[in-house]
Amino acid sequence: MGDSLEPIRLQLAFMYTIIKEEEPEIYMALERLGIPPFFAISWILSWFAHDLSDLQDMGRLYDFLIASNPLAPIY
C-alpha cells in the first residue's frame, strides 16, 4: 500500500480495456452510465482474500500473484 490510491486507480482503468474487448455490451453500459471501475477495488486491494474460503486455494492464488506481473490481479 502506498501513500495514495492512484496506482490502484490506474490499474483499475485497465479493467475497462479488458471488458471492452471481452464483453463490449457490458462495457458500453458501464460507459453510458459513467460507472468508474471502483466496484473491483476490494478485489485488487485484498487479492480476493475475502472471496476465498479455502486456505489452499488462497495460497495457490497468492503464489501466482506474487510470481506474476503486477497487473495479474486485473486479469
Side-chain angles (χ1 to χ4, degrees):
M1 202 61 200
D3 294 339
S4 74
L5 289 176
E6 186 63 18
I8 301 293
R9 191 188 66 73
L10 294 173
Q11 283 186 338
L12 288 172
F14 285 115
M15 285 190 68
Y16 271 14
T17 303
I18 295 168
I19 294 170
K20 184 178 182 178
E21 291 297 317
E22 296 296 322
E23 298 289 342
E25 291 180 27
I26 293 174
Y27 170 79
M28 293 302 292
L30 293 170
E31 272 294 302
R32 187 172 45 254
L33 295 170
I35 297 174
F38 298 138
F39 58 85
I41 198 165
S42 65
W43 299 330
I44 305 306
L45 291 178
S46 70
W47 279 4
F48 309 94
H50 60 284
D51 291 324
L52 297 172
S53 57
D54 186 302
L55 190 57
Q56 190 171 15
D57 289 343
M58 193 179 301
R60 291 179 69 204
L61 178 62
Y62 280 21
D63 284 346
F64 168 75
L65 294 174
I66 289 168
S68 298
N69 184 294
L71 291 177
I74 300 297
Y75 292 98

